Amino acid sequence: LQCGPGQSRPSPRTAPGSPRRRGRRRRFAPCGPHDELITSVPDKKDSLCQQDDQSQGGDIDIFRAGSTLRDIWCLVHSLMPLCDSAHSACVSRTFLRSWRCHPKLIFTEETLGLKRTEARDFTSRVNQILKNHSDTGVKILEFVFDDRNNVNTCHLNSWLQKAVTPGIEKITLFLPWRYREEYNFPCSILLDGRGNSIWYLDLTNCAFHPMVGFDCLRSLTKLRLYGVCITGDELGHLISNCFALEELQVWCCMELICSTIPFWLQRLSCLTVSECDMLRVIESTAPNLTTLDFFGEPVQLVLRESSKVKHLKVGYSYTPNAVSYAITKLPSIAPHLKTLAIYSSSELCRRLIPQW
């Protein structure tokens, strides 16, 4: 990954739109005053149904209650791409109800069906979708847009306020580079239990300033920060109560000077720190840290209780004797090393690496 004002990080994976079939449309006969789509219950003589009747004593129908059938429709609806889900909501009231609590809200130009000439319609499309959503049931939330979408930060705040509700599990926010200092990710949306169910948080090009006592991400297992304006103290406030954290990635966070990983993050096993130009010290006491990746200028590495690191990958750029430093110093810092990978763009090392 590369960073900088003139470079961009690869866009995260988004839900691909499914191609529409151009065959004949199947006509459904309306049922009742609401013209809802229905599926017929298999006849009792059907072999599968007979098998189910025998296993259940013969008196329980697999579609016994309407709620069970609605759950099936909701499951089918949740597996559809966003655009197809929205279109299907126009077909029946059953899909309309499930659309209003759709669990996956992934907003990209692709999922919204926007052409390049329609890029500025991003805001109106998202507004319309969230207006018809019930504010409940969201599990996955993603916003991915660039400068041509011209999204106002006030709109972004209102979208997050509406979509981040108790039970949400995954949040991805991918903003253009210029938002890095313009937009502050609102900590308030994680209060009142709304952040306690989040296990994945991925923020790109924004500011994030959690205060002392921040305690809103107790289920978080994976945290990824790219181009985020956050200090070492604020990062400490963010992760200090993330007792379930297993993987931490910090990329291009230029305000970091010292990064400290506390002892009580006992589930943390993977740490990646890359291209944080102002960083001088990485100190970790997490007892089960086994994989550490570092890319950038050499820093002071203090592992203490994290000396059990087994896999260490370092990449240095434009630093004289970086390879020599890595192969002579790092094994003593991490005596349990099994693999050490060294990358350097400024020197070519032909000497044999000593055994340790």
Side-chain angles (χ1 to χ4, degrees):
L1 288 177
Q2 297 177 337
C3 68
Q7 298 172 326
S8 60
R9 162 193 166 195
S11 182
R13 184 179 302 173
T14 56
S18 59
R20 296 183 182 177
R21 297 181 179 178
R22 296 190 177 182
R24 296 174 57 189
R25 291 185 178 180
R26 181 178 178 183
R27 294 180 176 270
F28 293 89
C31 178
H34 301 305
D35 294 341
E36 294 188 0
L37 292 179
I38 61 171
T39 180
S40 59
V41 179
D43 189 82
K44 294 280 186 176
K45 296 180 181 179
D46 183 83
S47 59
L48 291 177
C49 202
Q50 288 178 351
Q51 183 178 0
D52 183 76
D53 287 341
Q54 293 171 1
S55 63
Q56 299 294 334
D59 59 350
I60 298 180
D61 194 329
I62 58 173
F63 294 125
R64 176 180 57 183
S67 60
T68 302
L69 185 56
R70 284 197 297 270
D71 289 343
I72 294 174
W73 281 121
C74 288
L75 175 61
V76 172
H77 203 197
S78 69
L79 298 175
M80 298 168 64
L82 192 67
C83 261
D84 293 343
S85 296
H87 291 155
S88 65
C90 302
V91 176
S92 76
R93 293 196 177 186
T94 299
F95 274 160
L96 179 58
R97 282 194 296 267
S98 66
W99 167 250
R100 287 175 175 162
C101 56
H102 198 277
K104 298 178 183 178
L105 297 181
I106 301 176
F107 298 109
T108 69
E109 286 188 359
E110 183 180 3
T111 60
L112 293 175
L114 293 174
K115 301 177 182 178
R116 292 186 65 87
T117 56
E118 301 172 323
R120 290 180 175 270
D121 294 336
F122 189 96
T123 297
S124 59
R125 294 279 181 95
V126 175
N127 282 336
Q128 188 63 33
I129 289 173
L130 292 180
K131 179 181 178 181
N132 293 324
H133 202 272
S134 65
D135 302 348
T136 59
V138 178
K139 299 294 184 182
I140 299 175
L141 179 65
E142 292 187 18
F143 290 102
V144 181
F145 56 86
D146 56 31
D147 283 324
R148 68 173 178 266
N149 298 128
N150 195 31
V151 175
N152 187 285
T153 57
C154 293
H155 286 123
L156 183 55
N157 274 339
S158 66
W159 297 341
L160 290 171
Q161 191 69 37
K162 183 176 178 65
V164 177
T165 55
I168 192 167
E169 298 176 356
K170 185 176 179 181
I171 298 178
T172 299
L173 190 60
F174 184 88
L175 309 181
W177 179 263
R178 69 177 177 87
Y179 284 73
R180 185 174 176 270
E181 296 182 354
E182 290 182 14
Y183 181 69
N184 287 312
F185 183 82
C187 297
S188 59
I189 66 169
L190 303 175
L191 299 176
D192 302 323
R194 287 178 290 179
N196 286 338
S197 56
I198 297 173
W199 64 266
Y200 179 91
L201 180 62
D202 186 348
L203 303 179
T204 299
N205 294 333
C206 64
F208 195 13
H209 303 298
M211 304 294 289
V212 177
F214 183 83
D215 186 18
C216 303
L217 296 168
R218 287 183 169 266
S219 300
L220 191 67
T221 60
K222 184 172 182 179
L223 174 62
R224 193 171 194 272
L225 305 176
Y226 185 98
V228 173
C229 291
I230 187 170
T231 66
D233 288 340
E234 290 167 343
L235 180 60
H237 301 159
L238 173 59
I239 66 174
S240 61
N241 289 307
C242 297
F243 302 109
L245 191 63
E246 298 174 0
E247 182 175 351
L248 172 61
Q249 298 184 21
V250 182
W251 300 75
C252 305
C253 295
M254 302 306 181
E255 295 186 1
L256 277 181
I257 298 177
C258 178
S259 176
T260 302
I261 311 299
F263 173 79
W264 50 85
L265 296 187
Q266 300 196 12
R267 295 188 181 182
L268 184 67
S269 59
C270 298
L271 173 63
T272 299
V273 181
S274 179
E275 301 296 337
C276 299
D277 293 347
M278 300 300 294
L279 188 65
R280 296 295 178 264
V281 180
I282 298 177
E283 181 177 356
S284 175
T285 54
N288 295 308
L289 184 66
T290 57
T291 302
L292 173 60
D293 295 347
F294 173 80
F295 303 93
E297 299 299 319
V299 300
Q300 181 182 359
L301 185 60
V302 183
L303 293 181
R304 302 187 190 278
E305 286 83 354
S306 296
S307 60
K308 296 180 181 179
V309 168
K310 297 179 180 179
H311 309 287
L312 180 59
K313 185 185 297 182
V314 293
Y316 299 126
S317 58
Y318 311 112
T319 301
N321 303 317
V323 173
S324 176
Y325 167 81
I327 62 179
T328 57
K329 298 295 184 181
L330 294 182
S332 62
I333 296 174
H336 298 281
L337 271 182
K338 290 185 176 180
T339 60
L340 172 61
I342 306 170
Y343 303 86
S344 176
S345 59
S346 62
E347 54 186 321
L348 178 63
C349 182
R350 296 180 179 276
R351 59 181 289 189
L352 293 176
I353 299 178
Q355 298 293 325
W356 60 80

